Structures are given as structure tokens and as C-alpha cells.
Amino acid sequence: MHKFSKSRVIIFVAAFVLALAALLVLGLTACGDGRTTQEEQPGDVSVYTVTAEESDFYDVSGQTTKASEGTAAYVVIQPEFDAVSVDKVLYNGNECTKSAAESNRYEFIMPAENVEITVEYSFNDNTTDNFLTWAGDNTYTFSMTTDEEEEWYNPDYDGENLVTADVTSTPSQSGGYFTSHEQRAFSLNQSVVPDDALSVKVINASSSSNSAGYFAVCIDRSKISSGTAQVVLLVENGHKFGDAALLVCTITVQAAQS
């Protein structure tokens, strides 16, 4: 039987300790901050989302929903009415490029972040849309109330504050009786015509029918100021989902006439 000397035992123990230390160091390095996880492997690409805001006045009819940085992305913005114009389409505040090949398509290069699409649009004055037409005898110039009028003025009894839209064609699926509808009017210049100065009256086609014959936008002349403002009338046809008419006109407000 062989016998080990003390020196050989010491050398063996020292070698064993060094080997164990080396293995420990390697293990710590593999588990430390410098490791590469499966999610961070070279060549992996992050994917970001694209969302587009909805509106009553345009439709998002197609879009990129997910894309990686540097790839081509797009969104299709279709105006819902002829009187609506899309002025700019933005991705995270940056302007998209309008496609030369496809109408209503806007393109951009995907950044290294999620994207929110926003739309800047405007309204154009028009005469008719779908089942509505501005009445031919409308006046679009109004005067502010005088100091004397302020004491007794009531817009419900004002015969000079109306802009009227006639129902000139049968709304879809109404069967000739336009009895289901929602309507609202709003201003594009609040400093001249605030929204709370506007209301809409529905006038029946005849005394014997509750079918709408025309819609009158009433202007409270005690709340308006000198200048011009576009006024928008939106009437939704309750007989058919998604069917509506939108009319726009420019109103001029003059100072009170003594």
C-alpha cells in the first residue's frame, strides 16, 4: 500500500481548492448581469403597436397594427362626409406621407416605440348632403341683440335666428316616414358662436305627420359676438345604422343694430 507524504497531501488539497474556486467563478459569471437571456439574443427584433383614434367624421378603414423599428407602416383614413377634409395624419406628432398610389392612405416608418395615430381635419361649406339640403331662403348674417332686446329677448320666439335644412330625399329604410333621428349643431369658432348658443328644432312635414320635414338650427343672438364662424349640422338617421347627413355653413355676426 502506498503512503502519501504531508507535502503531497497539501499539494492535492490546494489543487482541489483552486479548481473549485474556478468553477464557482464561472458559475457566477454565467448567472450575473453580463449574461444573455433568450429574449435578448442578438438578432431578436422588438415589435411595437399602432393605434388610431376614432371619430364621427372619418373612418379608419385599414392600418398596420404591429411593426418593428424601421419597417414601413400605414393607415387609411376615409372621410365619412364630403364636407370633411383630412388635412394631416400624424404618428406620435410626426406627419405621415400621403400615398401617391392609393387614395386616403398615409405612410410612415415605424419608430422604436408604440405609435398613436392622430388626424387633423376641417369642414367645408356645402349645400346638400344625403337627405338634407340648406333651404334656399336662408340668411347667414345675424346681428347681436341690442341692450334693449336683452331685457326681453327669448331665442325660442326669435323669427330671425334660424338656419334651416330641408329633408329633400327619403332617408334610407325610413319607408317615407322619417320618425327616428338624432341631431346636433356645433360651432367651429367658439369666440363668435359658442356651442351653447345653438340648438336644433325638428319641424314635422305636416300637422298630421310626425315625420321630420326640416331641421332648424336656432341661434341665441344674445350669446354671439362679431365675426364669422362655421356652423355644422349633423343629423343621424335612426332607421339605418351609420346613415347620416352633414351640412356646413359660414355665419357672419354683426354688431347690434340700433
Side-chain angles (χ1 to χ4, degrees):
M1 180 179 292
H2 295 286
K3 294 183 179 179
F4 292 102
S5 65
K6 282 186 177 182
S7 60
R8 297 179 88 180
V9 171
I10 292 172
I11 291 171
F12 176 81
V13 171
F16 177 80
V17 171
L18 288 173
L20 185 61
L23 288 173
L24 183 60
V25 169
L26 287 173
L28 289 173
T29 300
C31 297
D33 293 338
R35 70 180 180 177
T36 301
T37 65
Q38 184 176 358
E39 292 79 9
E40 298 171 344
Q41 290 291 336
D44 281 359
V45 176
S46 296
V47 175
Y48 303 96
T49 61
V50 181
T51 56
E53 64 180 2
E54 298 293 334
S55 171
D56 291 335
F57 306 110
Y58 63 79
D59 179 48
V60 182
S61 57
Q63 69 172 97
T64 298
T65 57
K66 294 181 180 180
S68 56
E69 178 187 7
T71 59
Y74 79 98
V75 62
V76 178
I77 303 295
Q78 174 70 50
E80 287 283 2
F81 303 95
D82 290 340
V84 176
S85 294
V86 174
D87 300 323
K88 290 182 180 181
V89 177
L90 309 172
Y91 67 101
N92 290 356
N94 303 296
E95 188 170 357
C96 297
T97 300
K98 190 171 184 179
S99 171
E102 183 178 337
S103 60
N104 304 313
R105 179 184 171 108
Y106 298 83
E107 301 169 338
F108 61 97
I109 301 300
M110 194 70 182
E113 59 184 355
N114 293 334
V115 164
E116 181 181 0
I117 300 294
T118 54
V119 180
E120 295 181 3
Y121 56 92
S122 56
F123 294 86
N124 309 301
D125 286 10
N126 61 348
T127 301
T128 187
D129 181 56
N130 201 347
F131 49 80
L132 286 184
T133 300
W134 287 127
D137 58 354
N138 278 340
T139 180
Y140 300 100
T141 300
F142 300 90
S143 298
M144 300 163 54
T145 52
T146 64
D147 293 339
E148 292 77 12
E149 285 179 303
E150 290 287 349
E151 298 179 3
W152 54 262
Y153 180 77
N154 185 331
D156 291 336
Y157 300 99
D158 186 349
E160 301 177 359
N161 69 336
L162 303 179
V163 180
T164 301
D166 296 327
V167 178
T168 50
S169 63
T170 302
S172 181
Q173 298 182 9
S174 66
Y177 295 93
F178 192 21
T179 57
S180 179
H181 42 76
E182 292 185 9
Q183 53 281 331
R184 63 187 174 102
F186 59 92
S187 168
L188 301 180
N189 188 344
Q190 297 295 305
S191 64
V192 174
V193 180
D195 283 345
D196 65 356
L198 300 174
S199 60
V200 183
K201 291 181 180 179
V202 183
I203 312 300
N204 292 337
S206 68
S207 58
S208 60
S209 171
N210 61 352
S211 177
Y214 62 90
F215 297 81
V217 179
C218 307
I219 302 166
D220 185 338
R221 294 191 296 111
S222 69
K223 296 181 178 180
I224 58 180
S225 302
S226 296
T228 60
Q230 283 183 299
V231 170
V232 180
L233 170 64
L234 175 63
V235 177
E236 298 181 65
N237 174 15
H239 299 280
K240 181 180 179 181
F241 179 77
D243 189 46
L246 183 139
L247 294 181
V248 185
C249 65
T250 297
I251 288 176
T252 300
V253 178
Q254 299 176 339
Q257 304 294 307
S258 57

